[in-house]
Amino acid sequence: MNTPNQQAKFLNLTPALVDTESAVLIVNPDATLSQRASLAWTMAYENLNILEASQSAHGDDPGNDKAMLCVAIERMHQLTTLLADVHERTRALERGAA
């Protein structure tokens, strides 16, 4: 169960290149830990597919390699932010259960 502080906090996954001062892409503050873990798995799987597609196309278009790498790096920033949130929430639950 989320604490009131956790419920009020939203997770901002807006890419750094989006020209805005406010969050555009956020995780639902009410998403459960399981839903967040599922999102992290999906993001990792999609990133793997992006990298594998880039590897298959390697050499055909050098510009494509750079573009795919940029997409993969941005996705990894989002994924690490999400996983840090999952870690914090899991640690808070473990401390509460001790």
Side-chain angles (χ1 to χ4, degrees):
M1 180 174 212
N2 292 336
T3 65
N5 188 26
Q6 287 175 319
Q7 288 178 352
K9 181 182 174 187
F10 64 86
L11 187 59
N12 183 1
L13 297 183
T14 304
L17 294 178
V18 175
D19 187 23
T20 182
E21 291 184 17
S22 59
V24 176
L25 180 62
I26 64 170
V27 173
N28 179 352
D30 296 327
T32 66
L33 189 55
S34 176
Q35 290 168 328
R36 290 166 190 261
S38 178
L39 176 59
W41 178 86
T42 300
M43 291 171 73
Y45 185 74
E46 288 176 342
N47 209 42
L48 176 61
N49 286 330
I50 290 167
L51 292 168
E52 287 177 341
S54 179
Q55 182 183 31
S56 294
H58 179 71
D60 294 339
D61 180 1
N64 182 55
D65 290 344
K66 184 175 181 180
M68 294 293 258
L69 185 58
C70 289
V71 169
I73 288 170
E74 182 56 46
R75 294 275 182 124
M76 289 306 296
H77 283 291
Q78 292 172 328
L79 179 56
T80 56
T81 299
L82 177 58
L83 288 173
D85 177 74
V86 169
H87 167 70
E88 289 173 15
R89 290 170 183 269
T90 302
R91 185 173 56 186
L93 286 173
E94 289 174 348
R95 287 182 179 160

